[in-house]
Amino acid sequence: MEYTFKITISACAHHTWQGVLQTETGSHPFMNELELLDAISNQMYLEDMEVFS
């Protein structure tokens, strides 16, 4: 599977990134790298579930 995301980093406060992850299903704001990785993981899981349904 191949996934395409657009990540916009709008700030770097407290030594961590903040911004928006844009996917085919919408925009997902994040306040740190962990939230970004979680949003990417959730998006990949949701897309995989659509393929297998």
Side-chain angles (χ1 to χ4, degrees):
M1 284 256 145
E2 183 176 303
Y3 304 95
T4 302
F5 302 107
K6 179 179 178 183
I7 300 170
T8 303
I9 299 171
S10 56
C12 184
H14 308 288
H15 306 287
T16 189
W17 294 339
Q18 287 113 35
V20 177
L21 169 70
Q22 293 181 332
T23 66
E24 291 181 9
T25 62
S27 296
H28 309 276
F30 60 90
M31 295 301 292
N32 56 53
E33 291 89 346
L34 185 57
E35 287 183 8
L36 172 59
L37 290 173
D38 187 48
I40 291 171
S41 177
N42 287 337
Q43 203 57 43
M44 292 172 67
Y45 175 78
L46 291 174
E47 289 184 21
D48 283 346
M49 289 295 100
E50 289 177 8
V51 170
F52 295 117
S53 340

